[in-house]
Amino acid sequence: MQGRVPWLVVGMLSLLLPRLAGAQNSAGSISVQGQDVSFEPAVNYPVGTYPQSVAVGDFDGDGIQDLAVANGPSNNVSVLLGNGDGTFEAAQDFEAGSLPVYIVVGDFNGDDVPDLAMANFGSNTVSVLLGNGDGTFQAPGDFAAGSGSWSVAVGDFNGDGVQDLAVANQGTPPKYEDQGDVSVLLGNGDGSFQPALDFDAGFSPHSVRVDDFNGDGVQDLVVANLYSANVSVLLGNGDGSFQPARDFAADNGPISVAVADFNGDEVPDLAVANYFSDNVSVLLGNGDGTFQALGNFAAGIGPYSVAVGDFNGDGVLDLAVVNSLPNNVSVLLGSGDGTFQAAVDFAVDTGPVSLAASDFNSDGLLDLAVVNEGSNNVSVLINNTPQQ
């Protein structure tokens, strides 16, 4: 986590120092294998400087999942092509914008080839890299977003069949505590985007996701607000605009949000990683765009990113949480009713900040890829949970 300091000093120290002090209590913590979920020891692959985010896609069209990693001060993206057995080729780097901190995969020009979009904290922009279909990417096109662009998500917000972008903007230092917003960039279908429309969220938005939270067939937004202790839900109007945000309480320091149906009622729910309270809040959806707080479930110290998947193959969704200071990933197995079992921890390298789940060796089990900004690499954990 200390690797974040050199290039995001101002405003981030308030985030770091309390957690660094608490990290003393986690010294000597070890990874264990749970009875119900297990992973092989992490294998690390070098990427760029202070990597910040990882996304998964088949970038060369061979049916095998590959990795794309946004590297902050390197101002580029590392693409690691998969071999199909859970290993990856050496990274190839492609130019991005200034301080890219989050990366997503989409098809922005309608050619059925995966493209990349990155939120650039250093230039308040989104970089779009169109894929060539062979694992390489074209030079980036940059599109203005808001102040302190930190996260980006893909959706179709005006129902025209073209992919659009939503960018969570945390603000500019030193005023991260000021209210932030979400920039919506409607796609033109050729890989370019219209000027951003901005919608208010909470204080220091750090994560944005897309789903239909009120069942009207229109895509909505949810934003995790680091300094508001809540998430903002913005219901879509279907024309690319959004209603005023409604806020729902999480715990202290919401920094990442994931969307899934955790209790089997076919209504999307939320899982929120809370950086300052070392846990995950689960908010069950009511189906009308509102949410009820179910409870908090302990993770590790400084949880920074949360992902959803069925990691033990029981048909129930689980959570995987990156813990930035103990250098591990916590897996919380789901019970099927929206509650989760005690965390099981698996070691990665130094300063993990982002993760993605996919099946990298085609065995039917979800594996993990974890970006480690302190060691400039990505850890791949292959799932070896025994199947009954």
Side-chain angles (χ1 to χ4, degrees), residues 99-117:
L99 298 180
V101 293
Y102 199 88
I103 187 168
V104 293
V105 178
D107 178 11
F108 304 120
N109 60 349
D111 63 354
D112 295 323
V113 173
D115 309 313
L116 301 175

Side-chain angles (χ1 to χ4, degrees), residues 353-364:
V353 291
S354 175
L355 81 166
S358 190
D359 182 3
F360 300 128
N361 59 351
S362 301
D363 65 352

Side-chain angles (χ1 to χ4, degrees), residues 359-383:
D359 182 3
F360 300 128
N361 59 351
S362 301
D363 65 352
L365 294 174
L366 283 179
D367 310 308
L368 295 172
V370 180
V371 162
N372 307 298
E373 74 164 3
S375 46
N376 298 329
N377 60 22
V378 57
S379 294
V380 174
L381 292 82
I382 298 299
N383 194 330

Side-chain angles (χ1 to χ4, degrees), residues 42-190:
V43 177
N44 301 318
Y45 297 86
V47 290
T49 304
Y50 300 133
Q52 297 296 302
S53 176
V54 59
V56 176
D58 178 9
F59 303 127
D60 58 354
D62 63 354
I64 295 171
Q65 295 296 292
D66 311 310
L67 301 177
V69 178
N71 304 305
S74 295
N75 298 331
N76 63 17
V77 54
S78 294
V79 174
L80 296 81
L81 298 179
N83 294 316
D85 58 358
T87 66
F88 291 83
E89 298 179 17
Q92 302 179 64
D93 296 332
F94 302 90
E95 178 187 357
S98 176
L99 298 180
V101 293
Y102 199 88
I103 187 168
V104 293
V105 178
D107 178 11
F108 304 120
N109 60 349
D111 63 354
D112 295 323
V113 173
D115 309 313
L116 301 175
M118 279 169 282
N120 301 310
F121 179 80
S123 54
N124 304 324
T125 60
V126 177
S127 289
V128 174
L129 287 73
L130 298 179
N132 294 316
D134 59 358
T136 65
F137 291 83
Q138 301 175 32
D142 292 337
F143 304 91
S147 178
S149 303
W150 196 262
S151 175
V152 59
V154 178
D156 178 8
F157 304 126
N158 59 350
D160 63 354
V162 173
Q163 291 189 343
D164 311 312
L165 298 175
V167 184
N169 305 303
Q170 69 161 342
T172 302
K175 296 183 178 180
Y176 289 119
E177 293 85 354
D178 289 349
Q179 185 166 353
D181 56 25
V182 179
S183 295
V184 173
L185 292 77
L186 298 179
N188 294 317
D190 59 358

